[in-house]
Amino acid sequence: MKVEARIFDLITVFSFLMAVVYGVWSKEPVGIVALALTGGLALIVGTYFRFVSRRIEQRPEDNPNAEISDGAGDLGFFSPGSYWPIALAASAAIAGLAMAFWHIWLLVIAVALLLITIGGLVFEYHTGPNHE
């Protein structure tokens, strides 16, 4: 996680530096605010990665002397596939279109679809050999 933290630290420094340069050259407030907010968000993510990297054991990616074989083995648990995120994205897109064109009837349908898909995603039940 230390590598990721350094990457986001570089993005933070670059964004804040470019916000200053952009402010001096263009004197346009929207771009300055956008670059400053980008730097702030990168700072949040970098701080989180730095915080997590102190609490987990060192990964092969963080060791400059690591060999490729150090990363062999199980990579962790990955949940099985689900179709609910696709349905959730589609219902959120419908809600966005309904708000953009301000069709109340479509917004009501989109909110109902959002509630159904959120419920399906939260309460889905997987059957299989690893689930009792």
Side-chain angles (χ1 to χ4, degrees), residues 4 16 29 39-40 46-47 57 61 65 81 93 102-103 105 109 114:
E4 292 89 347
F16 285 143
T47 303
E57 62 186 45
E61 294 88 356
N65 298 323
W102 199 245
H103 292 301
W105 61 273
I109 293 171
L114 275 169

Side-chain angles (χ1 to χ4, degrees), residues 71-79:
D74 288 336
L75 296 176
F77 172 76
F78 298 96
S79 63

Side-chain angles (χ1 to χ4, degrees), residues 2 9 18 20 30 32 37 43 45 53 56-57 61-63 66-67 75 80 84 91 95-96 106-107 114 117 124:
K2 292 178 183 175
D9 288 343
M18 287 300 110
V20 171
V30 176
I32 299 167
L37 288 175
L43 179 66
V45 175
S53 71
I56 62 173
E57 62 186 45
E61 294 88 356
D62 297 328
N63 183 2
E67 298 291 328
L75 296 176
W84 284 110
S91 58
L106 188 59
L107 188 59
L114 275 169
T117 54
E124 74 180 330

Side-chain angles (χ1 to χ4, degrees), residues 36 88 129:
L88 182 63

Side-chain angles (χ1 to χ4, degrees), residues 77 126-132:
F77 172 76
H126 291 287
T127 58
N130 295 333
H131 301 286
E132 276 107 68

